[in-house]
Each structure stands twice: as structure tokens, then as C-alpha cells.
Amino acid sequence: MKDKGKVVNFVLFLAFALLVIAAAERIGFQSVTVGSFKIGLLPLVFAIIITMVLGMKVFRKGIFKRIYSEFNVSFAGKYLIFIMLPLMARYGADVAPKIKEILSIGWVFIIQEFGNLGTVLIGLPIAILIGLRREAIGATLGIGREGELAYISEKYTLNSDEGRGVLSLYIIGTLFGTIVFSIIAPILLGLGFSVEALAMSSGVGSASMMTAASSALIAQVPDQAETIRAYASASQLLTSFLGTYTMVFLAVPLQRFMYNKMVKRGKQ
């Protein structure tokens, strides 16, 4: 009976997901003007907002309690990467037509990888300042995507303080990162940043964030859609590959050094 209940909950979960997708697509792309800026809101953003609101404790009753069951939530997080695999294949197809142009400025993509250290240099001091300790190690190693999740789970397990830190960041990034990226990209475009630079900066290691940022840019500059997709996809692929080595050989030692210094100083 218990397994039967899980099956029913899962079917409800799938039906709910399809309804949310249909509702978000029905809303479609919306443009909001804030001062002199135009902010593009994608259907993906509306889908996230709908699921966030309905997942709040006040609404989690009756059928929504079954939809947001612990099993369904765990399943969605665990198998998110498989949903992203077709998107990864699309990245490769987008990169191919622009490969010569991308290779001509390849060094810029490589230098961009040092930006991954920003989570340690900026995030770790703030985390320590607000009272986090071992949780800060998981939360500030990167932007909390699959690479950091795998490293922390292998080294510390996800039941550790470090594991809770990286899981928290993974969830927060999934919920809010897409919304932030879909808003900040067109704002920076309005401030005068080049569309190529913004497309490159979209690939931070998160497929959903990259898609949100690049789609928002395409909505603003549709005539450069091919360039935006190619640059964003190349940056995303490179970040997923080189980002692992940047994390292991640069971010981890730097984080360990900074953490030991700051925690010792805090105890004095």
C-alpha cells in the first residue's frame, strides 16, 4: 500500500509538472520595463515561480502535499541531470557553426574560469562572518552545481555539515538563480555591455541559469540569436570541463587556507 501511494503521488507529480509547463508557455515571454531597462521574463521563470509558491507550507495541503512529497522532491533533484542531457547535446550543435570564431578568442574563455574562484574569495568571508563554519566549505566552493555536489559528497558525504552547505546552495541556485540570471542579463545589456561578453558570462556551470540568461538576451537582440547561443554554449561546456580542475587544484587549496586563517582568527 505504501508503494502504491508513492506511485499515485508520482503520477500526480508528473501531471502537475505538465500543467505548470502548459501554464508557463501560455503566459509566454513577458517584457517588464523598469526605468530605461527592459527585463525579459521567460516561461521558465514563471514555471519556477508557480512551483515555488505552490510548494510553500501554507499551500502544501491535500493534493499539493502529495505532489510535494519527500519522494517526489528527492526524485526531481536526483534526476535533474538526465533532463539536462538533451540540452547539453544542443549546446554542441550550437557551438559547431561558430567554432572558428570561438577558437579565435579561446583564451578569453579560459581566463573566465578564474572567475570560479570568486565564490571562495567573496563568499567564504561573508559565510564565516554570518556564523557558518563547516557548512561554509560546501556552500562557497563554487556555485553549488553538479561538480561541487559530487566533490563534497565524495569527500565529506551529504549528511555532513559540508554536505548540508552544498545542498543548500544547490537548492537556492535552482530556485532563484534562474530568475536572477534572466533579469540581470538584459539589465547589463542596457548598461552597454557587449552581447558577446554577456553570452560568454552566461555559462557559469548551471544549465538552467545559462539558458535563462541567453534566452533573455536573445529576446532583446533576436538578430544575434545564433552568436548568443554559440558563445553561451561554448562557455557552459568549457566551464563544466575546466571548472572541475579549477575547483580541485585552485579553489579547494585556497578555500582551505582562507578557512583555517579566518576561523583561527575568530577564536582569538
Side-chain angles (χ1 to χ4, degrees):
M1 289 295 292
K2 190 176 180 181
D3 289 339
K4 186 178 179 181
K6 282 186 178 180
V7 172
V8 173
N9 289 347
F10 187 67
V11 171
L12 288 172
F13 168 70
L14 293 178
F16 173 69
L18 290 174
L19 285 173
V20 169
I21 292 170
E25 288 296 331
R26 179 69 177 171
I27 295 170
F29 177 84
Q30 299 294 325
S31 182
V32 179
T33 302
V34 180
S36 58
F37 302 111
K38 273 191 176 182
I39 300 173
L41 299 177
L42 306 165
L44 176 64
V45 174
F46 294 111
I48 292 173
I49 292 173
I50 293 169
T51 51
M52 281 174 57
V53 171
L54 295 178
M56 293 171 66
K57 194 173 182 179
V58 67
F59 293 108
R60 242 178 340 186
K61 299 173 184 176
I63 192 171
F64 288 115
K65 186 176 181 180
R66 303 186 72 176
I67 290 171
Y68 287 90
S69 68
E70 186 178 341
F71 173 80
N72 287 343
V73 172
S74 174
F75 177 89
K78 186 177 180 182
Y79 293 101
L80 178 66
I81 185 63
F82 291 104
I83 299 171
M84 294 298 180
L85 288 177
L87 188 60
M88 297 296 286
R90 171 68 186 273
Y91 294 163
D94 287 336
V95 170
K98 293 277 185 178
I99 190 65
K100 286 186 178 179
E101 185 178 339
I102 290 168
L103 289 176
S104 69
I105 55 168
W107 62 273
V108 178
F109 287 97
I110 295 173
I111 289 177
Q112 178 183 295
E113 295 310 306
F114 289 102
N116 290 334
L117 299 177
T119 54
V120 177
L121 293 170
I122 300 172
L124 184 62
I126 295 174
I128 298 294
L129 185 65
I130 64 176
L132 297 182
R133 286 299 179 262
R134 302 298 298 181
E135 298 89 349
I137 293 175
T140 64
L141 185 57
I143 63 169
R145 297 298 93 192
E146 285 72 23
E148 291 81 24
L149 199 65
Y151 178 85
I152 293 295
S153 64
E154 287 291 326
K155 187 171 178 63
Y156 302 102
T157 78
L158 292 180
N159 291 322
S160 64
D161 291 336
E162 292 85 354
R164 282 187 284 275
V166 73
L167 270 177
S168 298
L169 197 69
Y170 184 85
I171 294 169
I172 290 171
T174 301
L175 292 177
F176 298 105
T178 304
I179 297 174
V180 171
F181 267 56
S182 67
I183 292 173
I184 198 169
I187 287 178
L188 293 176
L189 183 65
L191 289 173
F193 285 82
S194 75
V195 70
E196 292 85 0
L198 291 173
M200 288 169 59
S201 62
S202 299
V204 294
S206 168
S208 57
M209 295 180 200
M210 186 281 290
T211 303
S214 58
S215 298
L217 288 172
I218 289 170
Q220 299 294 321
V221 196
D223 58 311
Q224 296 195 51
E226 187 179 341
T227 298
I228 292 169
R229 278 195 292 263
Y231 275 58
S233 300
S235 179
Q236 175 70 13
L237 288 171
L238 200 59
T239 298
S240 299
F241 175 67
L242 290 181
T244 302
Y245 295 98
T246 304
M247 174 186 67
V248 173
F249 295 111
L250 294 177
V252 170
L254 177 62
Q255 186 189 59
R256 187 179 296 121
F257 172 79
M258 289 177 62
Y259 179 86
N260 290 335
K261 288 289 184 182
M262 284 186 286
V263 170
K264 281 182 181 179
R265 185 177 299 174
K267 290 180 179 179
Q268 291 176 356

